Every structure is written in C-alpha cells, then in structure tokens.
Amino acid sequence: MRFDELLRPTPLGLYCPPGDFFIDPVQPVARAVVTHGHADHARSGHDAVLATPQTLAIMGERYGEAFTERRQSSEYGATTDVGGVSVKLVPAGHVLGSAQAVVSWRGMTITASGDYKRRADPTCAPFEPVRSHVFISEATFGLPVFVHPPDGEEIARLLESVRQFPDRTHLVGAYALGKAQRVIRLLRDAGWDRTIHVHGALERLNGLYQSQGIELGPLGLATGPARGGGALPGEIVIAPPSAVQDRWSRRFADPVTAFASGWMGIRARAKQKGIELPLVISDHADWTELTDTFIELAPEEIWITHGREEGLLRWCALRDQPARALRLVGYEEEEAEVEAVRSGAAPA
Ligand SMILES: [Zn+2]
Ligand SMILES: [Zn+2]
C-alpha cells in the first residue's frame, strides 16, 4: 500500500521511513514529533522533539527541561522539513498546544490527528479540518453509545448541587493536563467567580495555562487539617482523580465527589468508582464528532487507532469509506494521565 511508504505503524508508534521520525513514540527514539503533552503521547528521553511551543513547555514542566537533547518548536500552521518530509502542525482542539501532524511527501498527505475533539473548548485552539489522503483518527469513544452532552449542562448540574448542598465541599476529579483547566474555565463562564481551590498537583500546569493567556480566575491551594474534616464547606475543589479517592479528601466537609470524564456517561463506571456526581466532560471526540469528522474530511483512507476501532470500521464499511485499524499499542484509552509524572508525584 503506497501510503505505508510515508507512515506505518510499528511497535514504537507511527513511523515515517523517508523522514526517519516517529509520531508520539512510546519509547525513546532519535527523532519524535509529539502531538500533545499527555503522558502516553509525550515521553521524555528522545534525542530530538518537534512540537508546538505549548507542548514543549508542558513537557518541560512535567519532565524537567532536560526531557530531550534538542527541541524544535513549530507554531500552528508552520511547515518544517524533516529529512525531506514536510510536517505541519495544526490545532487538534484536545488540550493546550495539541496538534494534528500533517505529513506530506511526494504528493501524498497523511494527517495524524493524535487525540482530538470538535466542540468548543475555551482553553485551546479549535480543531482545524485538513484535507488529506489519509486521516488517522483516535477511537476512544468510538461506539454509538458515546454521545456526550453539552458541557454547559454538566457544569450547571455541578453548580446546582453546590446550591443544594451548601454545607458540603464539592470535590471534582479532573486530569491534571487539560481537563482541570477546562473545568475551571467552564465554571468561570457559568458565572462562578469565587476562589476555586486546587490540589497542589495541579498548581504548575494551571500556572502554565495562565502564562499562556488562559484566564482561570482566582485560585487557591486546597488545604485543611489532614484529620477531622470540615474544610472548605460550600466551596469547589479540583483535584487529580486519584486524590479524590484517597485519604487526602477526608479533610473536606462531607465532600460530594464528582469526576469530569467522558467515561462518566457509563453509570456503572461512576458507581464502581464511588462517584456521587458524574460529569460527562470529555477532551475526546464522541461518536457524533468522530463520524461527522469522517464525513467532512472524506479522505481516501481512514486509519483508526487508540480505542474502539470495530464500531468505526463498521460505520466506514457501511458507507464504502475505506478504513483500517492500526492497532498501535502503548496509549491509554482513557487519559489515564500518569499523575506520577513530575507535576503530580505525591498527593499532599
Ligand atoms: Zn490526550
Ligand atoms: Zn491519547
């Protein structure tokens, strides 16, 4: 297959033979193009990394500035020559700095979109559709059952609960990169202007977002006596999901536990995690966004990876849209954001 000459799946990730680079490699390589800062896509130890300035900043924040020997910063829309292959990064709408890698060579163009979503997100640039021969899509929520509600509705449910239980702390689990800042911004947009208290593990990435011009409003560190509880009644606290469920959360006033994730659309999952207030807020395209994107782009081929390939393959087959599953390994289907990376080591 000729498109395979330009990009092909390997155990280390998508590899471009003519340019001799990998996209989001799962192990250290000589030359990496990194789509965004989530830990399963952005790893430390590559000799050279090409990414957006925001993604490079996020990697520096999480892994320390020595995360690579050589960084190559590429603004959205700029084209970089990598070993004779042209690489352009365009917004993916997933988290701050997230990019699709548009790879062109000898008249062929393949867009590796990384993780993406189509709905508006005030904390990052919106997904930009790019015409190409091959579109590589994630499939995290690639089943028709996954249709995420508008995030405004979910935030309204959170604020309604705060009004209903004014003596309790609302403790919202949100992944440290992207989700936490988005929840904060959505709360601001819904009119919540009080100080939002955050777990210490979120402080640095919040600071990075703010330094990139994303307004988060007044933030405070969520502190309180480790025993006895009773801290921050009536307030909203944002913390990494693991902290919501560990002893750290006992300091708060009879906390209402919430969790902002696309997976919260599955009641059983929320229940199993002991989540009282599931909030269906996702940084991944839902079924509608995925299939609408396929219709809009109508590429010669769709390559599907990273989640539930079968449902999307079937959808494509029914529409005579050529498609294949890549079966790349090493990526988390959930943003099982590794909280143990530098910014989030020990829950305080
Ligand atoms: Zn991601
Ligand atoms: Zn991912």
Side-chain angles (χ1 to χ4, degrees):
M1 192 180 296
R2 68 186 181 108
F3 296 126
D4 264 15
E5 290 173 41
L6 178 52
L7 271 184
R8 65 180 61 156
T10 74
L12 294 184
L14 277 172
Y15 179 61
C16 174
D20 191 20
F21 63 85
F22 289 86
I23 297 176
D24 293 350
V26 296
Q27 281 172 39
V29 299
R31 221 161 11 173
V33 172
V34 172
T35 61
H36 67 284
H38 278 142
D40 54 332
H41 294 256
R43 301 186 191 239
S44 66
H46 307 307
D47 294 345
V49 171
L50 171 71
T52 63
Q54 297 91 339
T55 294
L56 292 171
I58 289 164
M59 292 178 79
E61 190 61 61
R62 307 192 107 178
Y63 299 124
E65 295 304 330
F67 71 89
T68 183
E69 280 167 32
R70 205 159 56 83
R71 32 173 115 187
Q72 205 169 359
S73 174
S74 176
E75 300 281 351
Y76 288 135
T79 296
T80 307
D81 182 285
V82 184
V85 172
S86 119
V87 179
K88 183 163 85 164
L89 300 180
V90 305
H94 175 58
V95 297
L96 181 70
S98 66
Q100 309 173 71
V102 182
V103 177
S104 305
W105 178 72
R106 295 191 180 167
M108 271 186 257
T109 299
I110 300 182
T111 298
S113 58
D115 292 342
Y116 68 99
K117 70 174 176 295
R118 302 301 304 268
R119 59 189 69 203
D121 176 346
T123 66
C124 65
F127 177 97
E128 194 179 302
V130 178
R131 287 266 173 194
S132 42
H133 298 100
V134 178
F135 180 66
I136 305 179
S137 177
E138 61 146 311
T140 306
F141 291 109
L143 285 175
V145 66
F146 294 113
V147 176
H148 303 143
D151 16 80
E153 279 177 18
E154 300 301 284
I155 291 296
R157 290 199 304 113
L158 170 59
L159 291 175
E160 178 52 34
S161 179
V162 173
R163 272 184 289 271
Q164 217 177 330
F165 303 107
D167 300 328
R168 301 177 67 185
T169 308
H170 280 69
L171 182 54
V172 184
Y175 294 112
L177 171 58
K179 192 62 64 62
Q181 297 78 26
R182 181 160 163 231
V183 167
I184 292 168
R185 255 311 289 265
L186 288 169
L187 282 164
R188 298 310 185 198
D189 293 347
W192 184 261
D193 52 12
R194 302 169 62 155
T195 295
I196 293 174
H197 302 267
V198 302
H199 185 282
L202 304 180
E203 279 195 304
R204 288 153 69 169
L205 284 170
N206 287 345
L208 192 149
Y209 267 63
Q210 288 167 312
S211 75
Q212 297 283 332
I214 310 296
E215 299 288 342
L216 300 178
L219 302 178
L221 193 58
T223 51
R227 285 166 205 282
L232 300 172
E235 302 295 340
I236 296 175
V237 173
I238 316 280
S242 61
V244 170
Q245 274 154 343
D246 77 17
R247 294 166 51 187
W248 178 82
S249 68
R250 292 188 205 158
R251 67 195 63 203
F252 301 110
D254 186 20
V256 174
T257 57
F259 183 25
S261 163
W263 297 109
M264 289 297 100
I266 306 176
R267 264 165 201 272
R269 252 207 224 208
K271 209 171 172 189
Q272 176 208 340
K273 286 176 178 266
I275 301 299
E276 196 173 336
L277 184 63
L279 302 171
V280 188
I281 300 176
S282 175
D283 283 332
H284 295 269
D286 68 4
W287 173 261
T288 310
E289 292 167 70
L290 291 166
T291 52
D292 282 355
T293 300
F294 294 179
I295 292 167
E296 178 181 3
L297 297 176
E300 281 184 32
E301 289 182 21
I302 294 174
W303 295 355
I304 300 166
T305 177
H306 209 121
R308 286 160 178 72
E309 290 94 346
E310 292 71 20
L312 287 169
L313 284 175
R314 185 158 168 72
W315 183 92
C316 289
L318 288 170
R319 279 157 190 80
D320 294 321
Q321 164 67 58
R324 65 184 271 219
L326 291 185
R327 314 215 182 275
L328 293 167
V329 293
Y331 304 94
E332 307 292 339
E333 65 165 28
E334 182 167 5
E335 291 311 339
E337 266 292 281
V338 182
E339 283 147 22
V341 291
R342 220 161 150 258
S343 55

